[in-house]
Amino acid sequence: AQTVTQSQPEMSVQEAETVTLSCTYDTSENNYYLFWYKQPPSRQMILVIRQEAYKQQNATENRFSVNFQKAAKSFSLKISDSQLGDTAMYFCAFMGTNAGKSTFGDGTTLTVKP
Amino acid sequence: DSGVTQTPKHLITATGQRVTLRCSPRSGDLSVYWYQQSLDQGLQFLIQYYNGEERAKGNILERFSAQQFPDLHSELNLSSLELGDSALYFCASSPRFTGELFFGEGSRLTVL
């Protein structure tokens, strides 16, 4: 069974600064997908970024980028130039390439301070 | 707007009752997933359907059941409700082979 661990329950960052959220996972699969989802106070789940395990290049989406270390089973999210609207809970998620059962971490609550 | 529609948005009911939550996936998506999120907790995977067939099962209670219909909409049935079933229930759909999940806005169930 896959597990996803987010070791930082809460983090805070000053507006315009950079913050990194950690995620580690455990799996015996070789091919899989990893995701970061954002859940703002509205509770809507929003995809932030996606990484395919067979791709060595780290995914980037504007101010969001990941550091994917497959051997270490680590998948951290870096948010650059943090904005107040980035305040949310962030979930790391794993899905096998059969796209079946998915596993979410417990989340990291990020607060961006003005 | 993710394109995934969930109804009802809010539901208040009593212990012992039965409710049905409905989900319409994005146009073209064959996979539907159901998740439960209790207060301030992570998402627990319940069940996945692909084109009408059950594909994967998580920690879904025996009191809960789901199905996906020929038009691809899905329903999650929760019966003999208990106080602990109060939660936000999400439905998500996925394009084939990408694994990416598009979430609905959730159905908030309150059991009194």
Side-chain angles (χ1 to χ4, degrees), chain A residues 21-89:
Chain A
L21 280 57
S22 301
C23 173
T24 58
Y25 60 94
D26 190 23
T27 183
S28 58
E29 298 185 39
N30 190 47
N31 294 317
Y32 46 86
Y33 304 102
L34 294 165
F35 306 89
W36 279 97
Y37 285 89
K38 167 184 176 181
Q39 187 177 42
S42 67
R43 306 306 294 268
Q44 175 72 45
M45 292 291 290
I46 302 166
L47 177 66
V48 174
I49 201 164
R50 170 176 175 268
Q51 176 81 41
E52 291 149 297
Y54 70 87
K55 290 186 178 178
Q56 292 187 343
Q57 185 173 6
N58 289 325
T60 62
E61 287 288 341
N62 301 314
R63 298 182 294 107
F64 299 88
S65 62
V66 298
N67 183 5
F68 173 49
Q69 302 289 330
K70 190 173 183 180
K73 294 184 178 152
S74 171
F75 183 61
S76 61
L77 175 69
K78 185 171 82 171
I79 306 174
S80 304
D81 186 25
S82 297
Q83 301 176 359
L84 297 178
D86 295 333
T87 292
M89 181 167 279

Side-chain angles (χ1 to χ4, degrees), chain B residues 3 15 18 29 53 55-56 72-74 78 83 86 88 90-91 97 104 106 108 112:
Chain B
T15 54
R18 172 189 170 96
D29 287 355
E53 299 290 327
R55 182 78 181 272
L72 301 178
H73 92 271
S74 178
L78 314 175
L83 296 177
S86 295
L88 189 57
F90 282 106
C91 169
F97 302 136
R108 180 168 295 284
L112 299 176

Side-chain angles (χ1 to χ4, degrees), chain B residues 45-57:
Chain B
F45 170 72
L46 296 177
I47 198 163
Q48 182 218 357
Y49 282 84
Y50 179 82
N51 202 22
E53 299 290 327
E54 182 183 305
R55 182 78 181 272
K57 210 167 188 177

Side-chain angles (χ1 to χ4, degrees), chain A residues 44, chain B residues 1-12 18-25 32-35 67 69 71 73-78 87-92 103-109:
Chain A
Q44 175 72 45
Chain B
D1 182 5
S2 67
V4 178
T5 303
Q6 286 188 250
T7 57
K9 285 186 169 48
H10 300 277
L11 189 56
I12 301 174
R18 172 189 170 96
V19 299
T20 296
L21 309 180
R22 181 186 169 104
C23 170
S24 294
V32 169
Y33 301 74
W34 286 98
Y35 294 86
Q67 57 183 326
F69 295 87
D71 67 352
H73 92 271
S74 178
E75 293 182 356
L76 178 67
N77 300 296
L78 314 175
L88 189 57
Y89 291 85
F90 282 106
C91 169
F103 284 84
E105 294 184 353
S107 293
R108 180 168 295 284
L109 172 67

